């Protein structure tokens, strides 16, 4: 059930089940290089789909697990009760606000794929979605999330400007730091052809 950039363009009956679009492993590899995740603490991906994020974290030596609605666990209606202190996710964009608000209650630190144009929505400025957002790492290439899962991390280029948002419960400032994340070396498949 990972990040859903095409949900807005397709009718519900034309979307993959659970708005499933896999996360290229390379994006997780680059997140891992930031050093913000604790290797000694288990990480959960509450919208794991086919475990792309979990598998990439395991490759980097993290302890990681995945849950998903298709595995019988609905993140929005269940609680982890402090079992995890960190999460990495690419939630369905149609449920982005709900996932972020729930994650803020569940995990002291988490990273989520985020569409940059989400910052232009007035409601998110007033409903608290951005509270605790400490960092935004915008990908320097647009990722087409329809790219099938690949072990080499390569992806098709698309039209969605996105990146990693990092929420930290201890961050109390009313701003976040923004950086560019270089993912160009993985944008080798050209444009998606239907």
């Amino acid at each position: 059930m990972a990040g859903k950039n095409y949900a807005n363009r397709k009718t519900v009956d034309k979307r993959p089940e659970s708005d499933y679009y896999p996360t290229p492993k390379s994006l997780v590899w680059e997140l891992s290089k930031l050093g913000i995740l604790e290797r000694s603490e288990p990480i959960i991906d509450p919208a794991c789909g086919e475990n792309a994020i979990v598998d990439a974290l395991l490759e980097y030596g993290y302890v990681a697990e995945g849950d998903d609605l298709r595995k019988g666990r609905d993140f929005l209606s269940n609680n982890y009760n402090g079992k995890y202190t960190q999460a990495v996710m690419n939630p369905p964009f149609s449920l982005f606000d709900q996932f972020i608000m729930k994650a803020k209650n569940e995990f002291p630190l988490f990273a989520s794929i985020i569409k940059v144009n989400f910052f232009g929505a007035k409601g998110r400025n007033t409903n608290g979605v951005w509270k605790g957002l400490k960092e935004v790492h915008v990908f320097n290439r647009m990722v087409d999330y329809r790219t099938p899962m690949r072990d080499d991390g390569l992806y098709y280029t698309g039209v969605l400007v996105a990146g990693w948002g990092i929420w930290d419960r201890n961050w109390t400032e009313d701003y976040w730091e923004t950086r560019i994340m270089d993912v160009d070396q993985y944008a080798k498949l050209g444009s998606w052809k239907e």
Side-chain angles (χ1 to χ4, degrees), residues 109-157:
L109 176 76
F110 68 94
S112 177
I113 295 284
I114 181 173
K115 291 191 327 184
V116 172
N117 68 340
F118 278 175
F119 292 113
K122 181 182 176 191
R124 291 187 184 101
N125 291 326
T126 57
N127 71 5
V129 165
W130 306 133
K131 184 176 173 27
L133 179 61
K134 183 177 182 181
E135 301 174 26
V136 176
H137 298 267
V138 180
F139 306 138
N140 68 343
R141 292 300 300 265
M142 291 181 270
V143 178
D144 191 324
Y145 290 90
R146 295 174 294 182
T147 304
M149 282 181 44
R150 298 175 56 104
D151 286 335
D152 61 10
L154 300 182
Y155 59 81
Y156 290 99
T157 55

Side-chain angles (χ1 to χ4, degrees), residues 1-25 27 45 47-53 68 70 89-94 113 115 143-149 160 192 194:
M1 178 146 94
K4 321 319 160 231
N5 61 321
Y6 295 94
N8 294 356
R9 290 194 265 169
K10 293 184 176 187
T11 59
V12 173
D13 62 318
K14 302 271 190 220
R15 297 179 198 163
E17 179 187 352
S18 300
D19 273 350
Y20 173 69
Y21 295 95
T23 305
K25 286 182 169 187
L27 303 182
D45 175 1
C48 70
E50 301 297 323
N51 282 331
I53 289 174
D68 194 271
R70 296 181 302 164
M89 63 185 181
N90 188 355
F93 285 162
S94 60
I113 295 284
K115 291 191 327 184
V143 178
D144 191 324
Y145 290 90
R146 295 174 294 182
T147 304
M149 282 181 44
L160 176 72
W192 178 266
E194 294 221 34

Side-chain angles (χ1 to χ4, degrees), residues 27-37 39 56-57 60 62:
L27 303 182
V28 183
W29 299 335
E30 294 302 314
L31 172 69
S32 298
K33 292 176 185 177
L34 297 176
I36 58 172
L37 300 169
R39 290 190 190 278
L57 288 168
Y60 266 73
Y62 292 95

Side-chain angles (χ1 to χ4, degrees), residues 53-194:
I53 289 174
V54 171
D55 290 347
L57 288 168
L58 291 171
E59 289 174 22
Y60 266 73
Y62 292 95
V63 176
E65 299 176 35
D67 271 347
D68 194 271
L69 184 61
R70 296 181 302 164
K71 293 183 176 185
R73 187 146 171 105
D74 180 2
F75 174 61
L76 296 177
S77 62
N78 288 300
N79 294 312
Y80 292 101
N81 299 317
K83 182 177 179 184
Y84 302 97
T85 59
Q86 51 189 359
V88 177
M89 63 185 181
N90 188 355
F93 285 162
S94 60
L95 298 172
F96 180 80
D97 292 12
Q98 295 95 317
F99 264 74
I100 296 302
M101 297 303 283
K102 173 76 170 174
K104 286 170 35 163
N105 288 322
E106 291 281 349
F107 316 115
L109 176 76
F110 68 94
S112 177
I113 295 284
I114 181 173
K115 291 191 327 184
V116 172
N117 68 340
F118 278 175
F119 292 113
K122 181 182 176 191
R124 291 187 184 101
N125 291 326
T126 57
N127 71 5
V129 165
W130 306 133
K131 184 176 173 27
L133 179 61
K134 183 177 182 181
E135 301 174 26
V136 176
H137 298 267
V138 180
F139 306 138
N140 68 343
R141 292 300 300 265
M142 291 181 270
V143 178
D144 191 324
Y145 290 90
R146 295 174 294 182
T147 304
M149 282 181 44
R150 298 175 56 104
D151 286 335
D152 61 10
L154 300 182
Y155 59 81
Y156 290 99
T157 55
V159 295
L160 176 72
V161 180
W164 285 111
I166 312 297
W167 278 260
D168 184 334
R169 196 176 286 165
N170 295 321
W171 183 255
T172 58
E173 303 296 335
D174 63 354
Y175 64 89
W176 52 82
E177 299 173 1
T178 305
R179 295 179 182 88
I180 301 299
M181 179 175 277
D182 185 2
V183 295
D184 184 55
Q185 64 183 323
Y186 307 108
K188 302 294 185 194
L189 303 180
S191 297
W192 178 266
K193 307 277 192 286
E194 294 221 34

